[in-house]
């Protein structure tokens, strides 16, 4: 059984978020707990799947890469989860979610250019049974990219 994060767990996560390389002793000193407490809690949260410590790419530093949003409409609403599951098996997609609103599914990937995006959509997405339509948009000017958003994507 996975338990909810308490205030100490949340404080540890907040300290790890800007820089996961921070030492357990620095976190412990800031929170007024022992280093062993911090270490044990991080280990438990990782084992229970509550957190994952990973590197997050700074999109501004990637050469010739553009973030592509692919909005997918399925033929029947009851196919959305099945199509999303199929999409999740495509390694190039970094995000797949069933959505509420105009589109049934949102998939996000990185592409080199519009030709690359068109080939990717036609060869990997449009051919999936149940996909009615796929519409793509490209991110062209990122005003804000909050690295902490990676925490909500599993």
């Amino acid at each position: 059984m996975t338990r909810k994060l308490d205030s100490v767990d949340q404080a540890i996560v907040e300290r790890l978020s800007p820089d996961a390389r921070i030492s357990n002793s620095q976190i412990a000193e800031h929170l007024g707990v022992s280093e062993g407490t911090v270490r044990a809690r991080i280990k438990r949260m990782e084992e229970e799947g509550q957190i994952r410590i990973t590197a997050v790419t700074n999109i501004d530093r990637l050469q010739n890469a553009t973030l592509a949003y692919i909005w997918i409409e399925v033929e029947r609403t009851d196919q959305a989860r099945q199509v999303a599951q199929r999409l999740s098996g495509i390694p190039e997609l970094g995000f797949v979610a069933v959505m509420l609103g105009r589109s049934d599914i949102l998939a996000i990937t990185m592409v080199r250019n519009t030709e690359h995006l068109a080939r990717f959509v036609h060869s990997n997405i449009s051919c999936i049974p149940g996909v009615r339509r796929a519409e793509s948009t490209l991110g062209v000017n990122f005003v804000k990219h909050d690295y902490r958003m990676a925490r909500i994507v599993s």
Side-chain angles (χ1 to χ4, degrees):
M1 179 171 98
T2 303
R3 63 185 192 91
K4 292 196 178 281
L5 300 181
D6 65 18
S7 61
V8 174
D9 294 335
Q10 289 173 1
I12 291 170
V13 171
E14 285 301 315
R15 296 298 291 179
L16 288 169
S17 291
D19 183 1
R21 296 172 301 169
I22 188 172
S23 72
N24 293 344
S25 59
Q26 287 176 296
I27 296 171
E29 183 179 327
H30 179 80
L31 300 179
V33 297
S34 73
E35 186 271 338
T37 296
V38 172
R39 184 177 51 253
R41 284 175 177 253
I42 291 172
K43 182 179 179 189
R44 178 189 40 77
M45 288 187 285
E46 284 181 303
E47 288 172 352
E48 292 181 359
Q50 294 171 318
I51 65 170
R52 179 181 50 192
I53 297 175
T54 186
V56 178
T57 307
N58 181 345
I59 194 168
D60 293 332
R61 306 274 192 225
L62 297 177
Q63 287 186 320
N64 300 323
T66 302
L67 201 56
Y69 300 86
I70 306 166
W71 303 93
I72 301 160
E73 187 178 312
V74 296
E75 292 172 357
R76 294 186 334 266
T77 305
D78 65 343
Q79 294 176 303
R81 288 202 183 277
Q82 180 182 358
V83 171
Q85 194 63 41
R86 200 69 201 267
L87 290 165
S88 72
I90 299 173
E92 294 87 353
L93 293 175
F95 178 88
V96 176
V98 175
M99 307 296 286
L100 292 175
R102 200 168 79 195
S103 295
D104 299 303
I105 299 169
L106 170 61
I108 302 175
T109 190
M110 298 292 288
V111 295
R112 290 183 299 281
N113 52 41
T114 55
E115 181 183 340
H116 179 218
L117 174 60
R119 275 196 322 270
F120 178 79
V121 170
H122 292 298
S123 62
N124 293 285
I125 295 176
S126 297
C127 59
I128 295 175
V131 171
R132 175 186 293 158
R133 189 170 72 92
E135 180 179 327
S136 305
T137 56
L138 295 173
V140 293
N141 184 10
F142 293 95
V143 177
K144 178 179 180 180
H145 176 80
D146 189 338
Y147 61 87
R148 294 173 298 169
M149 291 301 292
R151 293 188 320 190
I152 65 170
V153 179
S154 60

